[in-house]
Amino acid sequence: MTQTSGTAMVLLTGKSNVEASVDGVLGGYGHVNDQDLKGSEAFLNSLLRDRLLRNRHLVALDCGSGIGRITKNLLIKHFNEIDLLEPVSHFLEAARETLATEIDVATDQHSAANFFCVPLQEFTPEIGRYDVIWVQWCIGHLADDDFVSFFKRAKTGLKPGGFFILKENIAKTGFVLDKEDRSITRSDLYFRQLFNQCGLHLYKVKDQTGLPDELFAVKMYALTVDKPRSTKKTVSKQHINLPGIIK
Ligand SMILES: C[S@@+](CC[C@H](N)C(=O)[O-])C[C@H]1O[C@@H](n2cnc3c(N)ncnc32)[C@H](O)[C@@H]1O
């Protein structure tokens, strides 16, 4: 069940010969940077509005951060502290250097705090530290069991009301394996089944638009630990309160 069309934006396995640049971490597709960040910012803003997180000290974790592209251009504007996790040391060092010199955006109130040089498989977050855990273009390096155990461990790292944002390439059906970089691209249905196994609830999902046609489709998922309140529930509650016949 694989698709033949759709080029994987290369998911890097940490080869030391990959240049520590936007083009390098995006597998030669550095030109999608602006469009990607635009889509991410709109999605994040809608979530921050919905979840009423605006007035608190906000902390994010940027998973598989590469050279800190997302932290530098997006997360640092919205979060007071950002931790970066990246297993490839020369990418993480590049991130550390860039973020240290980003004096325009990195202020006392907004800065990169911790740099973790480990893969997701070996990471357990501090309990209740994060409002948002951002996971973009790196989860394809985790097999299903590692995927599930990562999200189960990482749930404890979220504050009440916090959420995961997963932004990923999407296969049309089933999955696509890339033998060269040893990554898996999953379908939307496949992801949703994994979210269930992790005990996560899908709060919002949006397609990334405007990327080149030869690339896989990309979706953004917002996932919560608590079950989102549904309108249906409210309606059925109202029914319970309607006058009824006393038996
Ligand atoms: C395509 S790049 C994306 C980087 C960044 N998320 C971005 O969008 O700019 C994939 C990143 O995932 C990292 N990565 C690979 N295996 C990983 C793992 N097991 N855990 C965490 N990150 C991993 C790579 O080193 C690389 O920096």
Side-chain angles (χ1 to χ4, degrees), residues 12 25 64 66 69-70 86-88 91 119-121 136-138 141:
L12 304 160
V25 291
R69 182 184 71 89
I70 301 164
E86 167 57 49
V88 176
F91 287 166
L120 290 171
Q121 295 92 319
Q136 178 167 353
W137 282 329
C138 62
H141 290 297

Side-chain angles (χ1 to χ4, degrees), residues 109-157:
Q109 286 79 40
H110 294 259
S111 61
N114 298 299
F115 294 83
F116 303 117
C117 195
V118 284
L120 290 171
Q121 295 92 319
E122 290 170 23
F123 182 74
T124 303
E126 181 187 317
I127 293 173
R129 175 164 168 77
Y130 301 109
D131 296 282
V132 167
I133 298 182
W134 193 283
V135 186
Q136 178 167 353
W137 282 329
C138 62
I139 208 68
H141 290 297
L142 271 64
D144 290 358
D145 50 353
D146 287 329
F147 181 117
V148 173
S149 61
F150 163 69
F151 277 102
K152 282 188 173 171
R153 283 194 315 280
K155 282 200 289 193
T156 64

Side-chain angles (χ1 to χ4, degrees), residues 204-221:
K204 206 174 242 188
V205 60
K206 200 164 191 313
D207 292 327
Q208 169 67 52
T209 57
L211 297 185
D213 289 345
E214 75 268 23
L215 293 179
F216 279 109
V218 171
K219 280 187 189 289
M220 295 172 275
Y221 300 97

Side-chain angles (χ1 to χ4, degrees), residues 185-234:
T185 301
R186 300 168 168 102
S187 69
D188 179 49
L189 180 63
Y190 199 141
F191 273 119
R192 287 169 190 251
Q193 286 166 349
L194 288 175
F195 300 154
N196 268 337
Q197 287 182 45
C198 300
L200 289 171
H201 301 282
L202 185 56
Y203 179 74
K204 206 174 242 188
V205 60
K206 200 164 191 313
D207 292 327
Q208 169 67 52
T209 57
L211 297 185
D213 289 345
E214 75 268 23
L215 293 179
F216 279 109
V218 171
K219 280 187 189 289
M220 295 172 275
Y221 300 97
L223 303 160
T224 58
V225 176
D226 48 313
K227 202 169 182 181
R229 269 184 235 140
S230 84
T231 348
K232 259 191 191 160
K233 236 186 185 169
T234 323

Side-chain angles (χ1 to χ4, degrees), residues 3-116:
Q3 74 177 32
T4 46
S5 65
T7 307
M9 181 182 299
V10 181
L11 281 171
L12 304 160
T13 47
K15 292 168 198 158
S16 54
N17 58 352
V18 175
E19 191 190 305
S21 65
V22 170
D23 212 40
V25 291
L26 297 185
Y29 279 86
H31 53 285
V32 306
N33 182 46
D34 287 353
Q35 191 65 22
D36 164 60
L37 291 165
K38 211 168 132 196
S40 297
E41 180 133 44
F43 192 59
L44 178 62
N45 273 330
S46 75
L47 292 162
L48 292 176
R49 263 196 311 271
D50 283 8
R51 305 280 287 181
L52 302 173
L53 300 179
R54 282 243 180 246
N55 296 323
R56 68 190 204 196
H57 182 92
L58 294 176
V59 184
L61 172 66
D62 183 356
C63 294
S65 66
I67 58 163
R69 182 184 71 89
I70 301 164
T71 293
K72 178 187 155 193
N73 297 299
L74 174 66
L75 300 178
I76 208 152
K77 291 195 242 164
H78 297 272
F79 296 87
N80 302 93
E81 289 178 70
I82 304 107
D83 292 345
L84 288 85
L85 177 150
E86 167 57 49
V88 176
S89 58
H90 77 281
F91 287 166
L92 197 62
E93 280 318 305
R96 198 195 291 271
E97 278 167 31
T98 316
L99 293 166
T101 56
E102 282 296 308
I103 41 173
D104 290 351
V105 277
T107 64
D108 286 348
Q109 286 79 40
H110 294 259
S111 61
N114 298 299
F115 294 83
F116 303 117

